[in-house]
Amino acid sequence: MPAEHDVILRPFRPDDLPALVDVYMAAYRDFPEYGEPDEAHALRYLQWLQRHHTLFLIAEVEGRPVGFIVVDANWRDWKGRRIGEIHELAVQPEYWGRSIAHRLLEAALDHIRAQGLQQAGLWVGVRNERAQSFYRHIGFRRSGMRKDEWIKMVKSL
């Protein structure tokens, strides 16, 4: 397995889409209720993300995407305030625990700060304790907002 320094972070390219569908589907394997039901829906979702982001970053190992993060620094919270919304963070499960998600998230937070914003937000599945624990470790906290099976987490920057 490659070391952390063998992971390259780079901007999204449209030709990444097929590989990102695979990353996305694998990342949601344990919690399919939070992901898209099949590859066609995942592709449409990724195409939506392609149109609604200020940062779309790929983690690559040996020329192959193994993770990605998508941020919209022009998002508005329920009070109409601009917030750096993290729309998606996905990493191939075989690369979990290798700091890839952490590096992607730190790059996203740097991007949000560079846009002059003071808060980052994201939605995470209620049953996805692993993801919630990861975000808490980075300094996110539950906002108290909940929508169906999702909870909102925020981080002050």
Side-chain angles (χ1 to χ4, degrees), residues 21-84:
V21 167
D22 293 341
V23 170
Y24 178 87
M25 295 303 290
Y28 283 93
R29 190 176 314 135
D30 292 343
F31 293 102
E33 66 270 31
Y34 300 130
E36 297 296 333
D38 55 43
E39 288 82 2
H41 284 86
L43 177 60
R44 281 195 288 278
Y45 173 57
L46 289 165
Q47 289 168 333
W48 182 87
L49 291 172
Q50 186 181 355
R51 295 187 306 272
H52 297 90
H53 74 275
T54 56
L55 178 72
F56 196 147
L57 205 56
I58 307 298
E60 183 176 86
V61 172
E62 297 174 352
R64 183 174 71 92
V66 299
F68 65 95
I69 194 163
V70 183
V71 177
D72 188 345
N74 295 317
W75 201 253
R76 299 280 173 179
D77 70 9
W78 63 278
K79 292 183 179 178
R81 297 174 298 204
R82 260 183 75 211
I83 184 174

Side-chain angles (χ1 to χ4, degrees), residues 43-146:
L43 177 60
R44 281 195 288 278
Y45 173 57
L46 289 165
Q47 289 168 333
W48 182 87
L49 291 172
Q50 186 181 355
R51 295 187 306 272
H52 297 90
H53 74 275
T54 56
L55 178 72
F56 196 147
L57 205 56
I58 307 298
E60 183 176 86
V61 172
E62 297 174 352
R64 183 174 71 92
V66 299
F68 65 95
I69 194 163
V70 183
V71 177
D72 188 345
N74 295 317
W75 201 253
R76 299 280 173 179
D77 70 9
W78 63 278
K79 292 183 179 178
R81 297 174 298 204
R82 260 183 75 211
I83 184 174
E85 187 73 7
I86 299 166
H87 285 313
E88 193 63 58
L89 172 57
V91 175
Q92 286 273 12
E94 60 265 30
Y95 289 90
W96 290 356
R98 302 196 180 273
S99 299
I100 293 172
H102 188 269
R103 286 182 58 197
L104 286 166
L105 189 56
E106 285 301 322
L109 296 174
D110 288 346
H111 169 76
I112 293 166
R113 283 186 202 95
Q115 304 304 309
L117 300 177
Q118 298 181 9
Q119 191 172 58
L122 55 85
W123 291 90
V124 63
V126 171
R127 292 190 327 108
N128 193 344
E129 285 293 329
R130 179 185 173 107
Q132 290 177 46
S133 176
F134 168 73
Y135 293 126
R136 278 193 306 273
H137 178 73
I138 304 294
F140 281 81
R141 62 175 174 73
R142 291 176 76 151
S143 73
M145 290 182 64
R146 182 172 170 165

